[in-house]
Amino acid sequence: ANKQGEVPLQVAIDKGYEDICHTLCTNGADVSLRYLHASKHIVSHTQGEGVVTIKEEIEMITQADRYGHLARPDRSISSFDDDFSDTSSVSSFSMGSLSGKKGQKVEKTKLKRETERSRKWSNMIKKWDKYVDSRFKKIQRRAAKGIPDCVRGTSWRLLSLHHSSIQGLRAQKDDIISAYLPIDVLRFASLHRASSPWTSQIDVDVNRAARNHMMFRVRYGRGQCALFNVLKAYSNYDEEVGYCQGMSDITALLLKYMPEEDAFLMIDRLMNAPKWRMRSLFKPGFPALQAAFYIHDVLMMREVPALAAHFKTVNCLAPFYAIKWYLMAFLDIFPFEITIRLWDILLAEGYDIVFSIGVGVLKMYQADLVDKSFDKIMTWMRNLEYLLVDVDKFIAYIMANRISSHRIHQLED
C-alpha cells in the first residue's frame, strides 16, 4: 500500500489503467475492489472496447425491446431446419403474421389488456392480506395470465413472502416493497463486503450473465456490481452451496425487477422455502438435479411414451438437454416473453410447475421430434430461444396439461 493506504489495484482503478487492473486481478488481487470502485472507472461489457459513448448508449437503447434486451436476429424455430417447417404442432401455436395493420391491432389489444391487468393487480396488492388468506387461487389464476411488468417485482416479492417458511433471513408481512428490517440490510452489506473463496469465479460469471440486457452489458457497471454483490453475499451466507453456475442467471433476472437487497432475500427464499427448495439443485453433487432427471424421464414415459421410447433409441438423455430446464427453471431457453410468464407461474405455484413445463413442451411438439435423429433433436433444443408462438396459447397448453404436485412428490419418495 502507498502512504494513503491504497493498494496497487486501487491506484490502477483510480488512474484508469485497465491493462494493469486486469493483470493485477489475474495475479491474485482482490477483484472486489473493481466493483467497489466501479463508478470511478467503467469499461464496456466486452474487454478492450473502451468506454461506451453517449451516442453508442442512445443507439443501444433504440435497439432494445420493452424488457431492455438488445435485438437479436429475427429467426423462427421452423427456419433453421427444413424438417421442422410447416408442421401441424408448430402452426397450431404460431403467432402468424403481425405486420401492418394487423400487427398494430394486436399490439393495441395487448396494451389495453395489460393496462386493465395492471389496475387489477394494483388493487389486489393494496388488499394483499385479504387475497392471500381467502382468495389465493385467484392470485394464481391471474399470475398464469401474466403479471403486468410494472408490478412484477412487487408481486414476486409478495408471492415469495406467502410461500416462505425458512431458516435464515426472515421478512415480516409489513416488510415488503423494499422496506426490510434494518438488520437484514446491514447483514446483506456485511456479507457482500466480506471476503469469499468464490470471488474470482463470480467475477467471471457476472460478465457472462444476461449479456444481451442493457442493465448488465457494461463491465463493472451498476448492473454487474449489483449482481456481484448479491452472489458474493449468498456465497458467504450459505457456505455449503457457496456459488454455482446458474445462480448468476437467476439473480440477474431478479435484479431486473428489484434492488439488490430484495434480490438477495428472494434468492434465500427460492433456495430454502419448501415451495421451491432449489438449494438442493446447487448443493455439491447436484442431488436434486439428478432426481429431477429421473422424475422427468418417468413423466415422459407416462405422458409421451412414443417420444420417450424414441429418445431412448437415439440415446437422447435428459442430462444432454434439460440441465438448464431444471437447474435454472428454463432461463435462457425460451424467448424472454415466454420465460417471464413461466416465472410468474413459478413464483405463484412453486417449483413443481417446472416438470409440467418440461414434459409439456415435449408433448406440444412430439410430432416434430418423434422421428428425428439425435443431432436434429439437439438442434431443436438449442434453438428454442427463437420459438415464435402465441404466448397465451403456449401458457394455456402448459396449464391445461399440468402434472399434479402429488404425482411428482410420489416419484421423489
Side-chain angles (χ1 to χ4, degrees):
N2 61 17
K3 293 181 180 179
Q4 289 74 37
E6 298 174 320
V7 297
L9 179 56
Q10 187 173 346
V11 175
I13 293 171
D14 291 340
K15 297 293 185 180
Y17 298 150
E18 177 59 29
D19 290 342
I20 296 177
C21 289
H22 180 70
T23 300
L24 289 170
C25 290
T26 302
N27 288 278
D30 184 7
V31 73
S32 298
L33 288 173
R34 297 300 308 268
Y35 295 92
L36 186 61
H37 299 278
S39 60
K40 296 181 180 180
H41 182 58
I42 298 177
V43 297
S44 67
H45 188 88
T46 303
Q47 291 284 359
E49 290 186 356
V51 178
V52 178
T53 66
I54 295 177
K55 183 179 179 180
E56 290 171 334
E57 189 79 15
I58 293 174
E59 184 177 353
M60 288 288 186
I61 292 173
T62 59
Q63 294 175 358
D65 64 15
R66 60 169 297 196
Y67 299 105
H69 298 94
L70 301 178
R72 292 188 178 187
D74 186 14
R75 185 182 181 190
S76 166
I77 193 170
S78 60
S79 67
F80 66 84
D81 191 311
D82 290 340
D83 289 337
F84 285 103
S85 300
D86 301 321
T87 55
S88 59
S89 58
V90 170
S91 62
S92 64
F93 292 93
S94 173
M95 293 189 302
S97 175
L98 295 178
S99 59
K101 292 183 178 180
K102 183 178 180 180
Q104 293 175 3
K105 185 177 180 180
V106 169
E107 288 301 315
K108 187 176 181 180
T109 301
K110 288 173 63 176
L111 179 61
K112 182 179 179 181
R113 184 173 57 189
E114 177 142 350
T115 301
E116 178 62 20
R117 286 180 179 169
S118 299
R119 183 187 62 79
K120 290 180 179 179
W121 273 89
S122 295
N123 291 335
M124 191 163 60
I125 288 170
K126 292 176 183 177
K127 304 174 182 177
W128 190 258
D129 285 346
K130 174 184 175 182
Y131 278 88
V132 165
D133 292 339
S134 60
R135 306 172 71 183
F136 194 73
K137 288 292 184 182
K138 187 167 187 176
I139 294 177
Q140 292 176 315
R141 288 196 299 271
R142 286 184 174 178
K145 294 178 180 179
I147 300 175
D149 214 50
C150 61
V151 295
R152 184 166 269 131
T154 299
S155 302
W156 281 8
R157 294 195 293 272
L158 286 167
L159 288 167
S160 73
L161 282 167
H162 172 70
H163 288 311
S164 295
S165 175
I166 60 178
Q167 301 297 319
L169 295 182
R170 294 176 182 272
Q172 306 300 320
K173 275 188 177 180
D174 56 346
D175 295 327
I176 60 173
I177 313 177
S178 303
Y180 294 103
L181 293 174
I183 186 63
D184 291 342
V185 177
L186 291 174
R187 189 172 186 187
F188 168 72
S190 67
L191 285 168
H192 82 69
R193 288 172 182 165
S195 62
S196 168
W198 297 97
T199 296
S200 296
Q201 186 58 52
I202 291 172
D203 175 55
V204 172
D205 288 349
V206 159
N207 201 29
R208 296 171 176 169
R211 295 177 64 94
N212 200 44
H213 194 274
M214 292 288 296
M215 183 177 178
F216 301 101
R217 68 182 183 80
V218 177
R219 190 62 170 129
Y220 304 112
R222 290 185 179 181
Q224 289 200 7
C225 285
L227 181 56
F228 179 84
N229 289 342
V230 176
L231 294 173
K232 188 182 176 189
Y234 193 84
S235 73
N236 285 322
Y237 173 64
D238 186 346
E239 293 182 358
E240 182 184 9
V241 170
Y243 170 75
C244 178
Q245 284 187 339
M247 292 170 63
S248 58
D249 295 275
I250 294 173
T251 305
L253 174 67
L254 298 176
L255 286 170
K256 294 172 187 177
Y257 290 97
M258 63 192 71
E260 56 193 81
E261 295 86 358
D262 294 19
F264 173 65
L265 292 169
M266 281 282 294
I267 285 289
D268 185 28
R269 294 172 199 144
L270 288 172
M271 290 289 194
N272 295 294
K275 199 68 177 178
W276 299 290
R277 64 195 184 281
M278 294 181 73
R279 184 174 184 271
S280 294
L281 291 166
F282 296 97
K283 287 174 63 176
F286 307 101
L289 184 60
Q290 300 301 324
F293 292 152
Y294 167 75
I295 295 171
H296 174 82
D297 288 341
V298 173
L299 292 175
M300 272 194 70
M301 288 187 287
R302 294 179 181 178
E303 298 292 325
V304 281
L307 186 61
H310 177 66
F311 273 28
K312 186 176 181 179
T313 299
V314 298
N315 200 34
C316 187
L317 308 177
F320 293 160
Y321 62 86
I323 292 178
K324 282 188 175 182
W325 290 20
Y326 293 104
L327 189 68
M328 298 162 53
F330 286 91
L331 285 181
D332 295 335
I333 297 297
F334 296 117
F336 189 75
E337 190 174 4
I338 294 177
T339 301
I340 204 68
R341 290 282 299 276
L342 295 176
W343 268 73
D344 288 342
I345 300 170
L346 172 73
L347 268 296
E349 303 278 351
Y351 181 83
D352 290 342
I353 197 67
V354 177
F355 293 101
S356 295
I357 299 167
V359 177
V361 72
L362 294 177
K363 189 174 185 178
M364 190 183 302
Y365 291 102
Q366 61 180 318
D368 305 330
L369 299 169
V370 75
D371 60 347
K372 298 299 183 291
S373 67
F374 173 84
D375 289 340
K376 289 183 177 179
I377 292 172
M378 293 306 296
T379 299
W380 186 88
M381 297 288 187
R382 287 192 297 269
N383 284 274
L384 281 171
E385 64 175 318
Y386 300 104
L387 189 65
L388 291 178
V389 296
D390 184 302
V391 179
D392 291 325
K393 290 182 179 179
F394 182 92
I395 298 296
Y397 185 90
I398 296 297
M399 298 306 289
N401 291 273
R402 64 181 303 176
I403 301 163
S404 70
S405 294
H406 177 69
R407 289 178 61 190
I408 293 168
H409 294 166
Q410 283 183 322
L411 295 174
E412 290 177 338
D413 297 334

